[in-house]
Amino acid sequence: MGDLWFGLEDRVFVVTGGSRGIGLEIARELLRQKAKVVICARKQDGLESAKNELQGGDSLLALQAHVAKEEDVNRLFDAAVEKFGRIDALVNNVGMNLPTGALVETELGMWQKIIDSNLTGTYLCCRRAGKIMREQKTGRIVSVTSTAAHRASPGMNIYGIAKAGTEMMTKNLASELAPDNICVNAVAPTMVKTGFSEPFWSNSEIYDMVVKNIPLGRIAEPEDVVKVVLFLASDGASFITGQTIVVDGGSAVI
Ligand SMILES: NC(=O)c1ccc[n+]([C@@H]2O[C@H](COP(=O)([O-])OP(=O)(O)OC[C@H]3O[C@@H](n4cnc5c(N)ncnc54)[C@H](OP(=O)(O)O)[C@@H]3O)[C@@H](O)[C@H]2O)c1
């Protein structure tokens, strides 16, 4: 990916949802930059295959954890600190969606599942990491949100609400944690080529419809998101906090 980053060597990163998709690519690039990386996911088999693929040796810790479960989050951060001694950056990459209809027809259980993984999980990780970083008097938090946070779209209503909540959490945390030299930002991509959105981009009719609204003429690759996340976690972004960087190929301007 080229040597674009500033000072990631030996930094300790917790990347939630690192077993596939964007999170896996963030972990891969971090290891290439000689950072220490902790990834988590709900499913052990996904973590095992990520571990085999990444070959991170002693610089990689892969732990099963559901980010919306407080005890799992505590266990994850305790293990990260025990192994690497500190946490320099948290990347809240976990995200999921389920098929939903109109909000007024939605069951409470569906609302809770989507809010839990996308918003409550991010809150629990920020809370735990924020306390550790406050003691260290330094840290970075970067959350992956979505352009679904910025406009209403069918099937993405609860997901978009959760991501919009994460962007507001980013502003509040940026303000609260700035005195302790902790920067908090978000990255909001449009459709990215991962398994998460495959049902859409693999359908040529849907793909063409989506790309019609993207001036750069394609959907995002995971790498497009990785670059911005790592920039925000690097020394290059030391005076940026409370921002959401939109990675949408120009959609917002047309
Ligand atoms: N792909 C897109 O088009 C797109 C567009 C805009 C924004 N985003 C955002 O980008 C981020 C990454 O998406 P992606 O496309 O890489 O998704 P993905 O390929 O589905 O990967 C999601 C990762 O998160 C883990 N995960 C999901 N729920 C979890 C939970 N509650 N606790 C712990 N781990 C959990 C998954 O593993 P397990 O299933 O084993 O838990 C997996 O490792 C998400 O925040 C997503 O909302 C994606």
Side-chain angles (χ1 to χ4, degrees):
M1 210 176 279
D3 290 320
L4 294 171
W5 329 119
F6 310 86
L8 296 182
E9 192 170 339
D10 286 331
R11 297 260 168 101
V12 180
F13 276 72
V14 174
V15 182
T16 68
S19 66
R20 59 174 189 267
I22 296 167
L24 179 66
E25 297 313 315
I26 292 171
R28 195 192 310 278
E29 180 60 18
L30 282 170
L31 289 167
R32 212 177 69 81
Q33 296 296 325
K34 300 188 170 51
K36 312 288 184 201
V37 186
V38 181
I39 57 171
C40 79
R42 291 166 302 181
K43 295 180 211 96
Q44 191 61 44
D45 56 345
L47 285 168
E48 289 306 323
S49 67
K51 251 168 68 176
N52 287 338
E53 202 181 317
L54 291 171
Q55 294 292 315
D58 216 32
S59 297
L60 176 68
L61 188 61
L63 290 176
Q64 189 282 329
H66 189 309
V67 291
K69 294 186 178 165
E70 196 173 8
E71 61 279 14
D72 283 18
V73 170
N74 289 340
R75 186 171 43 76
L76 172 70
F77 283 89
D78 286 350
V81 172
E82 192 180 321
K83 179 152 177 72
F84 294 122
R86 61 184 195 280
I87 295 179
D88 296 306
L90 162 66
V91 180
N92 290 304
N93 165 73
V94 160
M96 56 75 90
N97 196 14
L98 296 166
T100 54
L103 279 174
V104 292
E105 306 290 348
T106 305
E107 299 287 339
L108 180 59
M110 176 67 86
W111 166 272
Q112 281 167 335
K113 267 193 193 156
I114 299 173
I115 295 290
D116 269 2
S117 278
N118 291 291
L119 184 60
T120 310
T122 301
Y123 161 67
L124 288 174
C125 290
C126 287
R127 193 178 65 165
R128 192 74 172 87
K131 280 188 182 154
I132 295 166
M133 290 173 183
R134 268 182 143 172
E135 280 176 23
Q136 298 172 166
K137 298 278 177 220
T138 183
R140 296 289 172 88
I141 298 176
V142 183
S143 299
V144 183
T145 62
S146 166
T147 52
H150 309 151
R151 66 185 74 93
S153 66
M156 307 252 258
N157 41 20
I158 304 173
Y159 172 77
I161 293 166
K163 294 295 195 183
T166 299
E167 291 184 4
M168 195 62 213
M169 190 177 352
T170 298
K171 292 185 189 181
N172 278 283
L173 285 169
S175 153
E176 290 175 12
L177 297 176
D180 291 306
N181 190 30
I182 300 161
C183 296
V184 188
N185 292 291
V187 177
T190 185
M191 190 179 288
V192 188
K193 209 170 199 176
T194 70
F196 176 87
S197 51
E198 190 169 358
F200 306 104
W201 55 256
S202 64
N203 175 321
S204 61
E205 250 173 64
I206 301 179
Y207 182 87
D208 290 347
M209 215 169 62
V210 170
V211 164
K212 226 191 279 170
N213 294 313
I214 304 179
L216 283 176
R218 62 174 177 84
I219 64 167
E221 296 291 335
E223 186 181 309
D224 295 311
V225 183
V226 175
K227 288 174 188 166
V228 184
V229 169
L230 295 198
F231 166 66
L232 288 171
S234 79
D235 291 347
S238 54
F239 206 56
I240 300 175
T241 195
Q243 298 297 314
T244 295
I245 311 276
V246 177
V247 179
D248 70 349
S251 310
V253 299
I254 58 168

